[in-house]
Amino acid sequence: MWRGGSNTRTCKRRFFSSPTRSRHHRPPYICRLHSRGSQHLKAMAEVDHLAAERATARFDVEEMKVAWAGSRHAVHVADRMARLVASDPVFRKDNRTMLSRKELFKDTLRKAAHAWKRIVELRLTEEEADLLRQYVDQPGYVDLHWGMFVPAIKGQGTEEQQHKWLPLAYKFQIIGCYAQTELGHGSNVQGLETTATFDPKTDEFVIHSPTLTSSKWWPGGLGKASTHAVVYARLITEGKDYGIHGFIVQLRSLEDHSPLPGVTLGDIGGKFGSGAYNSMDNGVLRFDHVRIPRDQMLMRLSQVTREGKYVHSNVPKQLLYGTMVYVRQSIVADASKALSRAVCIAVRYSAVRKQFGSQDGGPETQVLNYKTQQSRLFPLLASAYAFRFVGDWLNWLYTDVTQKLEAKDFSTLQEAHACTAGLKAVTTSVTADAIEECRKLCGGHGYLNSSGLPELFAVYVPACTYEGDNVVLLLQVARILMKTVSQLASGKQPVGTMAYMGKVQYLMQCKSAVSSAEDWLNPDAIQEAFEARALRMAVNCAQNISQAASQEEAAGFYERSPDLLEAAVAHIQLIIVTKFIEKVHQEIPGHGVKEQLQALCNVYALYILHKHLGDFLATGCITPRQGALANEQLGKLYAQVRPNAVALVDAFNYTDHYLGSVLGRYDGDVYPALYEEAWKDPLNETVVPEGYHEYLRPLIKQQQLKLSRL
Ligand SMILES: CCC/C=C/C(=O)SCCNC(=O)CCNC(=O)[C@H](O)C(C)(C)COP(=O)([O-])OP(=O)([O-])OC[C@H]1O[C@@H](n2cnc3c(N)ncnc32)[C@H](O)[C@@H]1OP(=O)([O-])[O-]
Ligand SMILES: Cc1cc2nc3c(=O)[nH]c(=O)nc-3n(C[C@H](O)[C@H](O)[C@H](O)COP(=O)(O)OP(=O)(O)OC[C@H]3O[C@@H](n4cnc5c(N)ncnc54)[C@H](O)[C@@H]3O)c2cc1C
């Protein structure tokens, strides 16, 4: 019922033969003679400026790649797809920020068409094709086609509807998008205004946009590319409004791509940052009484009969939100990808960059050796790993819930909603902030487009808003927390990620036994502190809401919503910490791999504890002294991570192409690359800039004339 996109774990494999490759999947870098202005730079043989860093690693990087990717098979497939993309000139992206919007959009169409051609020619599996698209790394209509249009039909269409529409979508005979949000409403899905009124005379629905605010607004791929959309509209039949339902609507001609009669379509305009998300044609759409056959209503959950009778299957209405739940879980995995890219750039560059420290002409200090740099960077490195593992777990949960739903077991629906909504909110917020932090960690050069960080930030930051504004989603988690707390008194045992709340008697009064910094390395000590903090914050909120006895519960919730947000964050951080601890408890092969993950797990947990110390102290879970000990241990852990830092980001296994950053290059040969990149800027195409004769020369001449008259 919630069937979404592919579950890559179960994908059938069909490899195309691949050439043998060197250990690191980048072409050997030969520093080229620079075309302009840099003739003094001599061609050099390949040099690994980070070799000394790599030599200090105390673990097996190849095995860490397996731990990161999930399996040896996953490393292998990702490696092949990444190289395939990196070696293909069509997928070049280093000039992207210099293209105009129109050029960028056309470039996106070209890349998408070429990617599809390669997928067909090489007969790639679904898993391989997904990865290939990921490494092309340019937001475009295909993301919504595969990521939302297809999953919506799979999840909400009947067998016949799937049989009819999916083959068309799979072969790109139609291109689809997901048209839910309107100009007037996004978060409040039940507030959408577009109508789908059944006309029994013709056996059709009439799709209409009654107001300006009912215009569909934002859907990716809608503006220029899509031929079809799953449109969410209020179903009206026999004079009654049955609320929001999904409909497959054709928007453009399959002959000449012109909008069909009654359909007004366009792009909503340029977005934040150069390049970045501007490759996507987020669109506006209005309907003027557009007719579609009745069988284009997605009828898996509810149906309208030929006579116009509304029939709702005996399933929870929230299944209509299934596509969003599917995408939210995939966004958590994407957060670890975006965060690990930023961290990889910042760690490698921090190892190359040197400032201060030399009084006598000796070597300067690598900025990675500054404790402040480590205390800003290593928690982000740990977070990348934490998000990766919680993302894997969430993918498992999603698959499990989907199977239960197929068997008409809806008991885990709430758990799935709380986990996907909360983890989406926390991981995207942290990642967006972390990318910006990585930019600052790279100093001035981080601000250059060639660092890759400005574009990564601009592409990533809307993840805090799309698929549910993060605050709105955290309030959903808070509601479920409050419901769970209120049920504790009745003796109902919470399950899943809320199970810890069942230990309410103990967790409300327990005192941490930590008495030395080392005690904080005990996972039980961490787990208990996080559980007690999350539970006490939730219980405090529930008490404050109920104490406002004069108010309705909803009004109390509204008043206390800032505190509720924090309680929801505490609960989600507990889940992330728990899943990291569980991961480290598993068998993990490879020399030193488990030890490194253990250290990163502790960094993650103690960093969160340090950052939110106020919560832990205010709820009395730990004492100020124990808080100070946690911080002391954190410093020791940073020292442990330091010699492994570069190898830990190498384990992400990213090609230079995918990273797209002169600062994050695998070989660390940053300065010639920065120098060379600068000359590629269109401003450097002419020595004397355009506009000199119009504006600069007359200005200078005028001033000279004035001066000569004096
Ligand atoms: C690549 C980028 C592409 C981007 C694409 C997009 O952005 S696409 C556009 C993306 N757009 C967005 O993401 C829009 C974000 N907005 C929303 O998802 C919803 O409007 C809402 C969740 C905020 C409110 O929901 P509501 O109006 O129904 O009102 P309510 O709060 O009263 O909840 C009623 C009950 O339903 C439960 N429940 C809710 N959701 C789920 C769920 N998914 N599953 C299961 N259950 C769920 C909830 O717990 C409650 O349960 P209870 O207490 O009765 O047992
Ligand atoms: C890049 C991008 C791509 C997108 N792609 C698609 C797509 O393909 N298809 C599609 O249908 N949509 C898409 N969207 C739309 C997206 O899903 C919505 O923008 C998102 O759900 C947020 O809704 P909103 O814009 O209505 O924000 P609003 O709800 O108007 O948020 C504005 C502010 O109000 C606050 N707020 C709102 N409600 C509450 C509340 N109850 N309590 C407290 N605070 C509240 C929010 O926290 C926020 O600070 C996309 C958006 C973006 C930015």
Side-chain angles (χ1 to χ4, degrees):
M1 264 173 205
W2 260 9
R3 276 174 293 154
S6 64
N7 181 344
T8 48
R9 284 154 202 248
T10 56
C11 245
K12 291 224 168 59
R13 283 162 240 170
R14 188 175 56 243
F15 298 122
F16 65 91
S17 62
S18 60
T20 4
R21 43 191 66 83
S22 64
R23 208 166 139 243
H24 303 296
H25 53 210
R26 85 222 127 83
Y29 176 75
I30 307 291
C31 186
R32 279 158 283 160
L33 273 174
H34 301 283
S35 50
R36 259 177 294 220
S38 56
Q39 274 80 0
H40 63 286
L41 292 172
K42 291 200 181 105
M44 293 186 299
E46 181 176 0
V47 184
D48 183 354
H49 292 259
L50 292 168
E53 288 290 331
R54 293 184 168 116
T56 60
R58 293 172 194 154
F59 67 97
D60 183 338
V61 181
E62 296 305 309
E63 288 296 332
M64 186 63 89
K65 285 181 186 171
V66 176
W68 171 263
S71 67
R72 231 166 274 285
H73 163 75
V75 177
H76 185 57
V77 182
D79 206 42
R80 274 190 306 113
M81 292 305 112
R83 287 155 154 276
L84 192 68
V85 172
S87 61
D88 192 327
V90 176
F91 296 132
R92 180 184 163 198
K93 59 179 188 175
D94 56 343
N95 58 347
R96 200 159 54 184
T97 54
M98 294 163 200
L99 301 181
S100 69
R101 177 91 203 279
K102 274 184 167 178
E103 289 166 338
L104 181 61
F105 182 67
K106 195 168 171 192
D107 182 61
T108 310
L109 296 185
R110 186 165 84 113
K111 283 179 176 155
H114 187 65
W116 181 244
K117 184 167 160 267
R118 298 300 284 149
I119 288 165
V120 173
E121 279 169 0
L122 299 168
R123 300 176 61 240
L124 299 187
T125 61
E126 212 175 317
E127 178 190 17
E128 290 166 333
D130 281 351
L131 279 162
L132 182 129
R133 279 191 289 269
Q134 177 201 312
Y135 289 123
V136 170
D137 187 37
Q138 189 150 311
Y141 69 90
V142 282
D143 302 345
L144 280 301
H145 177 81
W146 294 114
M148 294 205 81
F149 180 71
V150 167
I153 297 174
K154 275 185 177 176
Q156 288 153 46
T158 60
E159 295 291 322
E160 304 87 82
Q161 288 175 319
Q162 294 185 35
H163 196 70
K164 175 176 172 184
W165 293 99
L166 290 178
L168 299 174
Y170 287 155
K171 290 182 198 137
F172 267 129
Q173 286 163 345
I174 60 173
I175 297 171
C177 65
Y178 185 87
Q180 183 175 294
T181 306
E182 297 175 355
L183 193 52
H185 294 93
S187 296
N188 180 6
V189 178
Q190 295 304 325
L192 299 178
E193 296 175 85
T194 305
T195 50
T197 310
F198 183 62
D199 180 356
K201 283 194 233 89
T202 58
D203 197 19
E204 289 171 320
F205 283 103
V206 181
I207 312 286
H208 186 58
S209 311
T211 59
L212 178 71
T213 48
S214 69
S215 310
K216 292 293 173 191
W217 189 272
W218 270 119
L222 170 68
K224 296 290 162 189
S226 294
T227 61
H228 288 66
V230 168
V231 172
Y232 286 84
R234 315 196 74 80
L235 189 164
I236 298 167
T237 183
E238 296 182 319
K240 192 172 167 202
D241 182 338
Y242 287 93
I244 305 304
H245 290 74
F247 301 83
I248 299 177
V249 186
Q250 182 171 352
L251 307 173
R252 290 184 166 98
S253 153
L254 293 176
E255 293 307 316
D256 63 5
H257 210 59
S258 56
L260 295 189
V263 174
T264 304
L265 278 165
D267 185 278
I268 59 170
K271 288 153 295 210
F272 187 87
S274 49
Y277 217 83
N278 286 300
S279 54
M280 182 72 87
D281 52 328
N282 293 94
V284 44
L285 161 66
R286 291 198 76 174
F287 296 106
D288 183 4
H289 299 95
V290 172
R291 288 180 170 265
I292 58 165
R294 179 172 55 95
D295 68 5
Q296 287 181 210
M297 168 184 165
L298 290 171
M299 294 219 203
R300 192 177 173 93
L301 308 177
S302 39
Q303 304 84 38
V304 170
T305 65
R306 175 65 190 90
E307 296 72 36
K309 193 157 281 315
Y310 180 79
V311 184
H312 183 67
S313 310
N314 195 18
V315 295
K317 279 192 169 156
Q318 290 82 3
L319 289 177
L320 179 75
Y321 297 156
T323 311
M324 291 188 282
V325 175
Y326 162 69
V327 180
R328 283 172 197 154
Q329 64 87 28
S330 68
I331 286 177
V332 176
D334 288 346
S336 72
K337 281 180 205 140
L339 178 51
S340 55
R341 281 172 78 173
V343 166
C344 183
I345 295 167
V347 166
R348 285 184 183 161
Y349 178 66
S350 297
V352 170
R353 184 69 169 176
K354 292 176 181 151
Q355 294 279 352
F356 301 106
S358 165
Q359 307 299 331
D360 51 5
E364 289 184 282
T365 305
Q366 291 167 283
V367 297
L368 192 54
N369 286 338
Y370 289 112
K371 294 289 177 191
T372 47
Q373 192 84 352
Q374 293 174 12
S375 67
R376 291 159 69 201
L377 189 46
F378 293 165
L380 307 184
L381 173 62
S383 303
Y385 276 90
F387 294 174
R388 171 79 209 184
F389 298 136
V390 83
D392 281 350
W393 170 78
L394 193 62
N395 181 267
W396 168 84
L397 179 81
Y398 177 81
T399 310
D400 185 60
V401 172
T402 307
Q403 283 163 1
K404 290 196 169 101
L405 295 180
E406 295 284 350
K408 298 255 184 303
D409 171 359
F410 306 112
S411 59
T412 47
L413 197 57
Q414 176 178 283
E415 163 86 339
H417 173 44
C419 290
T420 48
L423 283 166
K424 183 270 179 191
V426 168
T427 57
T428 56
S429 294
V430 169
T431 299
D433 291 350
I435 298 170
E436 169 58 2
E437 185 65 9
C438 286
R439 181 192 70 73
K440 292 184 212 155
L441 283 159
C442 292
H445 301 335
Y447 191 61
L448 279 170
N449 279 340
S450 60
S451 79
L453 291 166
E455 202 188 4
L456 187 59
F457 180 72
V459 168
Y460 192 76
V461 80
C464 298
T465 305
Y466 59 58
E467 278 314 328
D469 167 84
N470 284 351
V471 167
V472 170
L473 292 185
L474 284 170
L475 290 175
Q476 288 285 310
V477 178
R479 268 172 60 142
I480 296 170
L481 285 175
M482 292 306 98
K483 207 160 114 182
T484 310
V485 171
S486 71
Q487 289 167 348
L488 289 175
S490 67
K492 187 175 174 195
Q493 278 305 305
V495 292
T497 49
M498 305 262 173
Y500 72 98
M501 295 179 125
K503 297 185 278 180
V504 59
Q505 305 292 354
Y506 174 74
L507 289 175
M508 286 306 286
Q509 46 75 38
C510 65
K511 299 250 175 281
S512 172
V514 165
S515 62
S516 69
E518 285 68 34
D519 285 349
W520 277 120
L521 298 177
N522 177 355
D524 293 340
I526 291 175
Q527 184 84 30
E528 184 184 275
F530 273 77
E531 285 182 355
R533 166 213 183 204
L535 182 70
R536 291 179 198 191
M537 288 174 79
V539 169
N540 286 349
C541 285
Q543 283 169 348
N544 288 334
I545 291 172
S546 67
Q547 271 161 16
S550 58
Q551 292 180 324
E552 292 279 313
E553 197 180 303
F557 188 92
Y558 167 78
E559 279 303 325
R560 291 286 164 181
S561 50
D563 302 339
L564 285 158
L565 270 192
E566 289 174 14
V569 169
H571 171 72
I572 297 299
Q573 287 171 341
L574 165 65
I575 296 179
I576 302 173
V577 167
T578 306
K579 297 303 158 195
F580 208 160
I581 290 174
E582 283 173 11
K583 172 77 190 177
V584 175
H585 274 167
Q586 290 169 10
E587 256 323 276
I588 304 175
H591 168 69
V593 174
K594 195 179 174 104
E595 289 71 16
Q596 292 305 315
L597 292 179
Q598 179 70 69
L600 290 173
C601 176
N602 289 331
V603 167
Y604 180 76
L606 296 184
Y607 167 73
I608 297 291
L609 189 151
H610 180 64
K611 193 172 164 208
H612 296 269
L613 192 58
D615 288 354
F616 286 89
L617 295 179
T619 48
C621 300
I622 63 170
T623 62
R625 161 106 187 108
Q626 288 168 328
L629 289 173
N631 197 31
E632 190 186 320
Q633 187 53 50
L634 200 49
K636 292 181 186 169
L637 286 164
Y638 292 154
Q640 204 178 318
V641 171
R642 169 63 190 92
N644 300 290
V646 167
L648 282 167
V649 301
D650 286 349
F652 301 146
N653 211 16
Y654 293 145
T655 56
D656 282 350
H657 173 274
Y658 184 56
L659 269 189
S661 166
V662 292
L663 303 186
R665 301 166 57 93
Y666 180 84
D667 63 11
D669 201 10
V670 165
Y671 295 120
L674 268 169
Y675 195 83
E676 189 179 0
E677 254 342 276
W679 297 106
K680 291 183 188 161
D681 195 279
L683 261 191
N684 285 328
E685 273 167 16
T686 56
V687 178
V688 174
E690 281 173 32
Y692 167 74
H693 291 286
E694 271 168 285
Y695 305 113
L696 271 184
R697 192 165 193 280
L699 183 75
I700 295 166
K701 286 292 162 203
Q702 212 176 21
Q703 296 307 318
Q704 283 175 348
L705 205 66
K706 273 188 195 160
L707 278 174
S708 66
R709 283 198 194 122
L710 287 176

